[in-house]
Amino acid sequence: MRRLYFASSYVMVADLTCKAVLRYARALANHGTADIVTIPVITEGGSQALAHLLLGPNSQLFSTPIEESQDEPVDTGVIAELERLTRELQPSRPAWPQEMTDIPNLSDYDLDYLDTL
């Protein structure tokens, strides 16, 4: 789990979701455009919910790990869609293992099909 800081607050998200959001935000910023994304998060009370983030050229995002965190709300459909949108904007960007190396590789999660996207 990671804290994804956005505006003056943060949401708690799965590592892979965080990585996909940051990659898509970078692609949007490089293209000078914006989008709203919906991602699964863990609330302060520990339940799962959805967060809606407006990502654009002026988004200032960063993330930090949460030690000893609970199970992550991994939604492979959300991650795959964010990666698809990122590839549309930046088809030549580095592959997952070559960036944000503090977040485990996809192969560490049972999401092998994402490697083919």
Side-chain angles (χ1 to χ4, degrees):
M1 290 288 295
R2 298 186 72 82
R3 283 186 185 91
L4 177 61
Y5 292 88
F6 186 83
S8 62
S9 190
Y10 67 87
V11 293
M12 294 184 290
V13 300
D15 289 350
L16 295 178
T17 303
C18 184
K19 194 173 201 176
V21 167
L22 289 171
R23 287 167 50 92
Y24 185 44
R26 176 186 59 205
L28 288 166
N30 286 340
H31 280 265
T33 190
D35 195 5
I36 295 174
V37 298
T38 301
I39 59 171
V41 298
I42 297 293
T43 67
E44 290 294 328
S47 61
Q48 292 190 18
L50 295 175
H52 310 284
L53 306 175
L54 172 60
L55 304 177
N58 296 321
S59 295
Q60 295 182 2
L61 305 172
F62 69 96
S63 72
T64 59
I66 299 172
E67 294 187 27
E68 300 179 26
S69 58
Q70 58 192 340
D71 291 337
E72 298 184 1
V74 175
D75 185 328
T76 57
V78 168
I79 295 167
E81 178 64 5
L82 289 171
E83 278 298 291
R84 183 188 70 74
L85 292 167
T86 300
R87 274 192 325 282
E88 284 181 3
L89 292 172
Q90 293 184 317
S92 64
R93 291 305 298 183
W96 280 87
Q98 298 170 325
E99 61 185 12
M100 294 182 237
T101 56
D102 63 318
I103 297 175
N105 293 328
L106 284 173
S107 60
D108 295 343
Y109 295 82
D110 192 20
L111 304 174
D112 293 330
Y113 78 93
L114 288 178
D115 290 326
T116 64
L117 296 175

